[in-house]
Amino acid sequence: MRKFIVPALAALATFGIAPAAQAEDTEVRVDFSDLDLAQSSDVSELRARVLTEVSAACNDEVPSFASRLQVRSCIRDAMEEADAQIDAQRSIASASTAELG
C-alpha cells in the first residue's frame, strides 16, 4: 500500500513509497517553504526536488537484486501521486494569491 500525505497548510510535503518488493511504506519529506507554488518556476523546482528524493528512496528501498524496471516503476508511481499533491498545493497557493490580489 502506498501512502502519500501532504499537509494542506504546511510547507513540508511527505510522500510515501512502497516498492513492490516491500510491504511497508517509506516516507520522503520535501521542504518547499521557500517556494511560491503560484509561480510555475517554483512548481518545477518542487517537482525536481521530489524526483531527486523519490529516486534516491526507490533506489535504496528496492533490493539490489531487483530489476531496474522495479525501480523505474517505483519512481513513476511515486511521482504520479506526488504530482497530484503538488497540483493540490499549487491550487491552494493560487487561491491565496488571488484573494490577496
Side-chain angles (χ1 to χ4, degrees):
M1 178 178 167
R2 287 186 179 85
K3 180 174 57 176
F4 290 79
I5 305 165
V6 177
L9 300 176
L12 186 69
T14 303
F15 304 95
I17 298 169
Q22 296 199 2
E24 63 183 69
D25 292 341
T26 299
E27 288 188 358
V28 175
R29 295 178 183 264
V30 180
D31 181 20
F32 61 95
S33 59
D34 60 323
L35 301 176
D36 176 3
L37 298 185
Q39 303 295 320
S40 295
S41 59
D42 285 0
V43 171
S44 295
E45 172 62 25
L46 178 56
R47 285 192 170 112
R49 290 179 191 180
V50 171
L51 179 58
T52 297
E53 295 301 320
V54 163
S55 296
C58 286
N59 278 301
D60 287 346
E61 294 297 323
V62 174
S64 60
F65 60 87
S67 74
R68 298 302 301 163
L69 182 60
Q70 284 178 297
V71 173
R72 285 192 300 265
S73 177
C74 174
I75 293 168
R76 183 193 65 237
D77 292 348
M79 286 306 298
E80 284 177 2
E81 291 191 38
D83 281 340
Q85 294 176 43
I86 290 167
D87 289 343
Q89 289 294 322
R90 186 175 190 187
S91 294
I92 292 168
S94 294
S96 295
T97 302
E99 288 176 9
L100 295 174

